[in-house]
Amino acid sequence: MSARILIVDDEPSICEILTDIVQDEGYTAQAVQSGEAALEIFHQFRPDVILLDVWLGGIDGITTLKKLKQLNPAVGVIMMSGHGTINTAVKATRDGAYDFIEKPFTMEKILLVIRNFLDIAQVSRSLVKPAIVCPPIIGSSAAIRQLDDTIARVAPSNGRVLIQGENGTGKELIARQIHLRSKRAEHPFIAINCAAIPEELIESELFGHEKGAFTGAHQLKTGKFEHAHGGTLFLDEVGDMSLNMQAKLLRVLEERAITRVGALAVIPVDVRIIAASNKRLMDLVEQGDFRQDLFYRLSVIPIDVPPLRQRTSDIPLLAEHFLAQVCAEEGIAPRTMSADAMALLMSAAWPGNVRQLKNVIERMTIMSPNVVIGVADIPTDLLQAESGSTLSNTDEVDLRRAREQFEKRFIEEKLVQCDQNITRAAELMGIDRVHLHKKLKLYGIRK
């Protein structure tokens, strides 16, 4: 995409000449004749470089420069003046101008300064841009393989995605994975928790507001939609949004444009929406708490995230991952986990899902003095057995039952993974086919 050049000069002939010059070079140009107009169009046009005259009617060029740099410190402002002085040039530079050009100027001079700024800006972005790191989705269960396949198919598109699942299942992680595998990966990923923002503030958070739009609006504020322009906006817990706000969100999705609170100007936005909810939105629709039209707008591509209790075979991989992560972050010598302790983890109910598992692993790693984390290190107040009774670290009957539950779930998962083929499942588990048949009979597992 070509760089965008905003020209600000109160002489129409200068605006026309500069517009022709930069357009002939392949840039996108927009010209205005006052500082006020430049500020008004700034967020809509999103310039990379601004050619700004010092002497303007209304607010002068230096004041306009300061306001523009407040709106976006990274924008390149090139000051122009037919009455240039050293003092003016120094002041402009101190206030954030990239360069100062005296009139009359040559076409070569203008284009050289523009190219120099764009080259420097590109190098600066490549040097300071942090590595985009997103935790992987850990697991090898059929549910996780299917989820990963869905992400791979969905990510390259611009289709809106609705992720539904219990708290702690990793909905934001999935949203980030979709963003990072998409064509928008180089642009922002902006997340907002709709349940955590008061009703009277969420409109301002999403769409921004003008100075003086309401009590406490002391300055202009850009909203999440503008911040996410070109990228992805993640609306977490969208089911908690009020019906009034849902109507406003629906209009933005239909028009692909926002209007700041207290403003009249419409600002186009190019944003991919990924929404998430720990509630079933269709249930909310039936209850009259969620707009049906908005539901269908958001759920172009629905993704259901399974709770941890439905993919217990992933717990060893998750536990090992979190164990290594905590050791590295806390500077703790590498730890391992005993088979008995792992069996107990796999038999727990995990109402808090992966988030709860991570917290438990962190607690055990920090609190245990042992290199091998065992049954005695498991916090009994956090782990619940399938029956709902607290696991006892000293009760051998519970430990045996936990092992049996783990083995039964493990076998069932492998059978699903192998399409109920006993021979393949036995090979995958590293046991004899006859032995597997005995286990199937023992646990009452039917193919």
Side-chain angles (χ1 to χ4, degrees):
M1 186 171 64
S2 64
R4 295 178 295 275
I5 314 296
L6 177 61
I7 300 159
V8 188
D9 198 298
D10 57 2
E11 296 185 37
S13 60
I14 296 295
C15 288
E16 184 177 351
I17 291 171
L18 288 174
T19 298
D20 290 341
I21 289 174
V22 298
Q23 285 182 339
D24 287 345
E25 193 67 13
Y27 300 127
T28 300
Q30 176 75 48
V32 296
Q33 295 178 20
S34 70
E36 291 87 346
L39 295 170
E40 183 177 345
I41 200 175
F42 183 82
H43 284 291
Q44 182 177 350
F45 184 60
R46 295 183 175 86
D48 300 292
V49 177
I50 300 173
L51 301 177
L52 176 61
D53 190 27
V54 172
W55 304 101
L56 295 170
I59 60 173
D60 61 68
I62 297 296
T63 303
T64 303
L65 164 67
K66 293 177 181 178
K67 292 180 178 292
L68 289 170
K69 296 299 284 188
Q70 288 176 353
L71 294 176
N72 181 8
V75 70
V77 181
I78 300 168
M79 302 299 295
M80 308 178 296
S81 176
H83 312 280
T85 66
I86 293 178
N87 288 338
T88 304
V90 170
K91 181 171 178 53
T93 304
R94 286 177 177 173
D95 289 334
Y98 169 71
D99 206 339
F100 190 98
I101 299 176
E102 291 188 59
K103 298 177 182 177
F105 43 72
T106 64
M107 178 179 70
E108 291 78 12
K109 175 64 174 178
I110 286 287
L111 294 178
L112 177 62
V113 176
I114 291 174
R115 281 194 294 265
N116 285 344
F117 172 80
L118 293 174
D119 288 344
I120 292 172
Q122 183 175 0
V123 171
S124 297
R125 285 194 297 268
S126 65
L127 289 175
V128 302
K129 184 178 179 180
I132 301 176
V133 178
C134 181
I137 297 176
I138 304 296
S140 60
S141 64
I144 290 302
R145 292 201 310 275
Q146 182 178 355
L147 178 61
D148 192 68
D149 181 66
T150 300
I151 292 173
R153 292 173 181 271
V154 167
S157 73
N158 280 314
R160 299 189 189 108
V161 180
L162 175 61
I163 307 171
Q164 297 185 107
E166 297 177 7
N167 285 330
T169 51
K171 297 186 290 295
E172 183 170 344
L173 171 60
I174 293 168
R176 289 183 180 276
Q177 286 281 346
I178 292 172
H179 173 73
L180 290 177
R181 299 191 202 182
S182 74
K183 300 173 184 176
R184 298 172 176 265
E186 296 299 317
H187 296 281
F189 175 92
I190 304 296
I192 181 171
N193 188 326
C194 301
I197 301 173
E199 165 67 17
E200 61 272 15
L201 295 180
I202 191 167
E203 183 177 3
S204 171
E205 284 294 321
L206 287 174
F207 309 141
H209 63 250
E210 294 291 324
K211 180 179 179 180
F214 51 84
T215 302
H218 300 302
Q219 60 185 9
L220 181 148
K221 175 182 177 179
T222 55
K224 303 299 185 186
F225 268 91
E226 287 184 78
H227 293 168
H229 183 74
T232 302
L233 178 61
F234 176 56
L235 301 176
D236 198 9
E237 304 306 348
V238 71
D240 289 88
M241 190 178 284
S242 70
L243 288 171
N244 178 52
M245 194 62 219
Q246 290 174 33
K248 294 178 180 180
L249 175 60
L250 178 65
R251 182 173 180 178
V252 170
L253 298 185
E254 290 174 342
E255 298 181 356
R256 298 184 180 183
I258 60 101
T259 301
R260 296 197 202 103
V261 178
L264 297 177
V266 175
I267 303 174
V269 287
D270 173 22
V271 174
R272 182 185 192 175
I273 298 294
I274 300 179
S277 177
N278 63 354
K279 305 171 183 176
R280 305 299 300 181
L281 291 191
M282 183 49 75
D283 293 342
L284 297 181
V285 170
E286 293 172 356
Q287 296 165 16
D289 294 326
F290 201 84
R291 295 179 62 107
Q292 186 178 54
D293 45 7
L294 179 59
F295 170 76
Y296 288 120
R297 285 281 186 177
L298 294 174
S299 61
V300 175
I301 305 168
I303 295 179
D304 288 319
V305 189
L308 187 56
R309 62 182 174 275
Q310 292 181 7
R311 56 183 189 100
T312 53
S313 63
D314 291 330
I315 289 178
L317 290 175
L318 287 163
E320 291 171 3
H321 172 76
F322 294 141
L323 191 61
Q325 185 180 63
V326 174
C327 287
E329 291 176 354
E330 299 294 335
I332 299 172
R335 303 282 180 86
T336 58
M337 190 169 296
S338 71
D340 289 344
M342 189 67 75
L344 285 176
L345 293 182
M346 295 188 70
S347 67
W350 297 113
N353 293 292
V354 179
R355 184 184 296 129
Q356 183 189 12
L357 174 63
K358 180 180 180 181
N359 292 340
V360 168
I361 296 295
E362 182 176 3
R363 175 175 170 179
M364 289 192 298
T365 307
I366 293 174
M367 298 301 295
S368 175
N370 305 313
V371 175
V372 178
I373 295 175
V375 172
D377 298 309
I378 295 179
T380 57
D381 60 314
L382 295 177
L383 297 182
Q384 298 293 320
E386 192 173 90
S387 63
S389 60
T390 303
L391 290 173
S392 171
N393 292 341
T394 59
D395 192 332
E396 293 299 327
V397 176
D398 281 351
L399 181 56
R400 183 175 66 252
R401 179 161 54 85
R403 288 172 176 167
E404 291 172 352
Q405 290 173 355
F406 157 61
E407 191 170 48
K408 180 180 178 182
R409 291 179 184 176
F410 182 74
I411 292 172
E412 289 174 336
E413 180 66 37
K414 294 304 177 186
L415 284 171
V416 171
Q417 192 173 335
C418 297
D419 297 323
Q420 305 300 319
N421 187 307
I422 293 179
T423 302
R424 285 170 52 200
E427 291 175 353
L428 193 61
M429 289 184 282
I431 63 175
D432 185 82
R433 186 172 183 272
V434 175
H435 184 55
L436 178 55
H437 269 292
K438 291 180 180 179
K439 291 291 184 182
L440 296 178
K441 185 176 180 180
L442 174 65
Y443 295 129
I445 300 173
R446 296 181 179 180
K447 294 202 305 169

